[in-house]
Amino acid sequence: MAQTNSSRIAILFAVAAIAVGGIAVYALVNVLGSATVAAAQNDKPVETVSVVVAKRRLYQGVQITNEDLDMIDVPVEVLPVIEDPEDPANVITAELYSSRERVVGQVPRERILANEIIRPERLADGNAGVGLNAVIPRGMRAISIGLEGADAVSGFLSPGNYVDVL
């Protein structure tokens, strides 16, 4: 008798599981079907812009060559935007390079990762040269100082100071 009750419960459980699975499959088919119909109705071409990207990692102070660059088409809605300084509620598309020639020979101010869009603010002034000259802003100087041990900087640095290391 105990065997019969447990068999009935197992059968009832199996039937319920199959019914719930069937309902889930039916709902999934309906959702996917309506998404396909919606996509077909909105099947307008996506507007893209051709932009310059880094083919490989570009390092600070090293001149960019044509082999370092690639061109890709990017949908307009994913382009980086910046706030208009005069009207913060208004956002405008950031300036981007649309040809390799404008980027070749320039020097990154900071590391640019592979497949990253090249933006003008990430590059040094075109007349600054290469290496450390390109990275240091106009009107500023970089000097090296020899330091040995903790005593060499005692009195110069305090907690909370910012230190740039190149």
Side-chain angles (χ1 to χ4, degrees):
M1 192 132 182
Q3 186 75 347
T4 311
N5 282 340
S6 62
S7 296
R8 286 182 185 168
I9 292 173
I11 291 171
L12 185 60
F13 182 75
V15 169
I18 290 172
V20 169
I23 292 169
V25 168
Y26 177 76
L28 184 63
V29 167
N30 281 340
V31 167
L32 291 177
S34 64
T36 305
V37 169
Q41 290 172 350
N42 295 332
D43 197 18
K44 57 184 175 186
V46 176
E47 184 182 354
T48 61
V49 175
S50 187
V51 296
V52 179
V53 296
K55 190 182 286 186
R56 55 181 155 257
R57 188 175 292 177
L58 305 177
Y59 293 97
Q60 178 182 30
V62 179
Q63 197 169 32
I64 299 173
T65 65
N66 195 37
E67 291 77 33
D68 295 328
L69 305 174
D70 205 1
M71 298 293 294
I72 63 168
D73 291 330
V74 178
V76 173
E77 60 265 6
V78 299
L79 290 176
V81 294
I82 54 176
E83 288 182 358
D84 186 353
E86 296 174 7
D87 181 13
N90 183 26
V91 291
I92 52 177
T93 302
E95 182 182 351
L96 303 171
Y97 292 108
S98 57
S99 71
R100 294 175 187 221
E101 292 76 27
R102 293 187 58 203
V103 180
V104 171
Q106 300 228 26
V107 178
R109 286 184 198 213
E110 53 198 25
R111 181 181 61 177
I112 298 175
L113 301 176
N115 300 316
E116 185 177 343
I117 295 174
I118 307 280
R119 296 178 54 184
E121 62 267 13
R122 303 286 304 274
L123 302 177
D125 181 15
N127 301 324
V130 295
L132 197 56
N133 291 337
V135 177
I136 303 300
R138 243 176 239 271
M140 304 285 279
R141 291 185 190 265
I143 59 169
S144 62
I145 51 176
L147 301 175
E148 294 184 24
D151 295 336
V153 293
S154 88
F156 292 111
L157 298 176
S158 302
N161 287 135
Y162 291 96
V163 178
D164 292 330
V165 178
L166 297 176

